[in-house]
Every structure is written in structure tokens, then in C-alpha cells.
Amino acid sequence: MKRKLNVFLLLSILYLTCPAQNLIILQIPQALEVNAGNDQNINQLEQVILGGNPTAAFGLPPYSYNWSPATYLNDATLANPLATPEAGITYSVEVTDANGCSVSSEISINVITDLDEIVGAKQIFLYPNPAKSYLYIDIPDIAGSCELSVIDIYGRILHSSPSIESVDLNYRIDVSMHPAGIYLVRLKNLETVITETFLIK
């Protein structure tokens, strides 16, 4: 009995002299990741959307973007700028997060120049833009059969109509199943390529 009492006193003294300490848990964020997008082949005069979906992830937002060179870009500080290169080019994006950490990534654009530059004043008229449910497309007078495609920022064709021949056709596409973001409408035949950008909200 005396031995048990001594053990109890010893434990009591240890408890009083070593009070519980506050436990501090440090959460270290995952390293910043940057995706400039997949390398692409485009036709001359065609627009392409740079960057991934998303272009930056993890680290500590907000992020700042710096694309270089800024040649043919609509805005070198956007996460997903539009490029209209006249020749093959490699773009690099440097992303800096709120901690000051910077990571870079590259994308190469190959421009196919075997099409005649006859687009001129011809345009595709898109409305409403931004679109939410349906996108209406007014197609100009282009000789011969044309292919109309809707393309996402990864270069994936989400909709394709391989044979359009009507003049000034008013074409309607249901875009309600696609996530919000930037998309391209491309109309092309053997001689002509026309592209326009639209938003889904």
C-alpha cells in the first residue's frame, strides 16, 4: 500500500511540474503548379487560347501571370490570353503566387501557312456573347462546303458540323452542358479559316 501511494505522489508531482503544452499544427500548402497548356497546331490567322484549366493551382492565391513574348497576345497578364501568331512560336508563362513563389511552363504553337489569307472582311457573328443556354452563329458567304467547330481551351472539339453550305446561315448550338469559360468557334474549308471567341457564363 505504501509503494502504491509513493507512485501516486510521483505521478502527481510530474503532472504539476509538466503541464500540458499547446499543440501547434503547421499546414504547409502544396507547391505551386503551372500549366501553359498543350502544344497545338493551328492554321494561319486562327486564334488559340493559351494556358490550362486552370493555368495555376495550389500555392497561395492570388496569382500573377506574365506571358512572354507578348507578341500576338491580347493581354500578357491574363491566365488564359488569346494568341493570333503569324508563325510558329513558343510561349512561356511565369506565375507568382502570394508567397512570392514563381513557377514557369511553356507551350509551342505551330502555325500551318498553306491556306490563302482570304478571310478579309468575312466574320462569324456570335450572339448572345456571353452565352448561357444557346449560342447563335451568323455565317458569312463562303464558297463550298465548310466545317464549323466549337473548341475548348485544350483544343478539344466539343461540337462539329462537317458540311455547311447555306449562305448566311443562322446556326444554333446548345452550350448549356459546357462549363463557364472561353471557347472558340472555327469555320473552315480548303481555302478559308475564320475564328471567333465567345464566353459561356
Side-chain angles (χ1 to χ4, degrees):
M1 182 69 179
K2 184 176 181 181
R3 184 175 180 181
K4 290 183 178 181
L5 181 60
N6 290 338
V7 172
F8 176 79
L9 291 175
L10 178 60
L11 291 175
S12 300
I13 293 172
L14 289 174
Y15 178 79
L16 293 174
T17 56
C18 301
Q21 301 295 317
N22 292 328
L23 182 62
I24 300 175
I25 300 176
L26 297 177
Q27 293 185 342
I28 301 175
Q30 187 170 338
L32 175 64
E33 295 182 2
V34 176
N35 177 19
N38 298 322
D39 295 345
Q40 296 191 44
N41 296 318
I42 65 171
N43 296 310
Q44 197 170 31
L45 303 180
E46 187 175 355
Q47 287 184 319
V48 61
I49 303 171
L50 304 183
N53 185 20
T55 300
F58 307 114
L60 183 65
Y63 312 110
S64 62
Y65 303 88
N66 181 26
W67 289 87
S68 62
T71 312
Y72 310 119
L73 299 183
N74 65 328
D75 190 336
T77 64
L78 295 179
N80 297 103
L82 289 175
T84 314
E86 298 177 0
I89 189 171
T90 296
Y91 289 104
S92 175
V93 59
E94 182 180 45
V95 180
T96 304
D97 69 3
N99 279 328
C101 298
S102 296
V103 177
S104 298
S105 181
E106 290 185 348
I107 179 174
S108 294
I109 307 298
N110 178 42
V111 179
I112 302 171
T113 59
D114 59 351
L115 297 177
D116 294 333
E117 298 183 21
I118 60 172
V119 175
K122 292 183 172 64
Q123 295 181 7
I124 305 173
F125 295 98
L126 310 177
Y127 58 93
N129 191 3
K132 187 174 183 180
S133 55
Y134 289 97
L135 177 72
Y136 294 86
I137 305 171
D138 282 349
I139 299 174
D141 182 6
I142 300 177
S145 179
C146 298
E147 178 185 1
L148 186 144
S149 304
V150 175
I151 305 168
D152 68 8
I153 63 173
Y154 294 109
R156 296 177 299 195
I157 297 177
L158 306 180
H159 173 88
S160 179
S161 297
S163 182
I164 295 179
E165 299 183 7
S166 300
V167 176
D168 296 326
L169 175 67
N170 181 257
Y171 196 81
R172 187 181 78 167
I173 298 176
D174 183 359
V175 297
S176 61
M177 72 289 293
H178 301 307
I182 304 174
Y183 296 82
L184 293 177
V185 170
R186 180 178 68 194
L187 184 70
K188 73 173 183 176
N189 61 12
L190 295 178
E191 298 178 339
T192 305
V193 176
I194 306 174
T195 61
E196 292 291 342
T197 305
F198 74 98
L199 298 175
I200 296 178
K201 64 178 181 179

